[in-house]
Amino acid sequence: MQTTDGCLEMAVLQTKQLILSPGCPEDSNDFIALELDPEVMRFLNGGYAVDHTQGHPNATFLMPRGTELCVWTARRTSNGIFVGWFCLWPESEKLAELGYRLRRTDWGQGLAMEGASALIDWGFRSAGYDRIVATTMAVNQASRRVMEKIGMTYIRTIPFDGPDPIPGSEHGEVWYEVTHSEWNRVSH
């Protein structure tokens, strides 16, 4: 069932280590805490904490507050501890963009790969997308590895087009994608 903003009705998704549930206003403080960590924000705005009372007027990145219909909150299955969030933002009826942000203490544990895989699978099987894309700064090697490990293919590098250049932006932004047929071949 499609909502008025183009998002499909979201399901609760469970992986070995994560429960992804539709974001809700109660998640807002956890989302804001992510934006206060300079390392989490490094490849988004150069590592500056976002003033949650005013937002970021030139932000080209998502800052969820728990009211967005295409954002899932990620919590550990074992204890319900907040890990981060994932989104599958519809760009058109057949195309969506994958995004994610995790707490620094949860990096390097395969959680980004696990959550992103679950969301891509849902996007193809339940939402009917034909193609899912993801972008990051070319110098963000950790995020690029996640995209590659889940079966996404590098497509191109484009020049950085943000209002405020940040360290590494001179190398551009990379685009990755996976199609439904490719996903079926490498499905996890």
Side-chain angles (χ1 to χ4, degrees), residues 1-3 20 24-25 31 43-44 50 52 68 76 92 96 111 120 122 126 129 131 145 159 173 175 180:
M1 169 179 258
Q2 195 141 7
T3 62
L20 303 177
C24 63
F31 294 159
F43 295 111
L44 296 167
V50 174
H52 69 274
E68 301 78 11
R76 288 192 178 270
S92 71
L111 300 175
I120 288 173
W122 178 86
S126 299
Y129 294 120
R131 188 166 53 110
R145 276 193 304 278
E173 203 173 46
W175 285 70
H180 191 179

Side-chain angles (χ1 to χ4, degrees), residues 1-2 8-13 72 88 93-94 118-129 132 180:
M1 169 179 258
Q2 195 141 7
L8 294 171
E9 191 165 315
M10 298 164 60
V12 173
L13 307 173
W72 280 257
L88 198 56
E93 187 176 307
K94 296 295 183 180
L119 207 52
I120 288 173
D121 197 63
W122 178 86
F124 287 137
R125 295 183 195 280
S126 299
Y129 294 120
I132 295 175
H180 191 179

Side-chain angles (χ1 to χ4, degrees), residues 126-184:
S126 299
Y129 294 120
D130 290 335
R131 188 166 53 110
I132 295 175
V133 298
T135 66
T136 190
M137 286 181 59
V139 296
N140 187 348
Q141 293 302 318
S143 197
R144 292 182 74 169
R145 276 193 304 278
V146 168
M147 293 174 198
E148 291 163 0
K149 284 182 177 181
I150 63 176
M152 299 185 95
T153 303
Y154 166 80
I155 300 300
R156 67 183 174 272
T157 301
I158 62 169
F160 177 77
D161 188 27
D164 302 315
I166 59 177
S169 63
E170 67 274 12
H171 299 286
E173 203 173 46
V174 290
W175 285 70
Y176 283 77
E177 78 172 26
V178 62
T179 64
H180 191 179
S181 60
E182 290 167 341
W183 186 254
N184 285 338

Side-chain angles (χ1 to χ4, degrees), residues 4-5 11 14 17 23 37 39 48 50 81-83 87 89 115 127 135 139 143 148 183:
T4 56
D5 66 352
Q14 185 167 344
Q17 300 180 81
D37 184 329
E39 281 303 304
Y48 300 103
V50 174
I81 300 275
F82 177 79
V83 169
C87 74
W89 200 263
T135 66
V139 296
S143 197
E148 291 163 0
W183 186 254

Side-chain angles (χ1 to χ4, degrees), residues 85-102:
W85 58 261
F86 292 83
C87 74
L88 198 56
W89 200 263
E91 297 292 334
S92 71
E93 187 176 307
K94 296 295 183 180
L95 170 68
E97 183 175 353
L98 172 72
Y100 47 86
R101 196 170 301 152
L102 302 179

Side-chain angles (χ1 to χ4, degrees), residues 48-76:
Y48 300 103
V50 174
D51 179 353
H52 69 274
T53 61
Q54 303 210 357
H56 191 292
N58 296 325
T60 58
F61 50 86
L62 180 61
M63 294 183 297
R65 295 296 180 255
T67 58
E68 301 78 11
L69 294 175
C70 299
V71 175
W72 280 257
T73 301
R75 297 188 181 281
R76 288 192 178 270

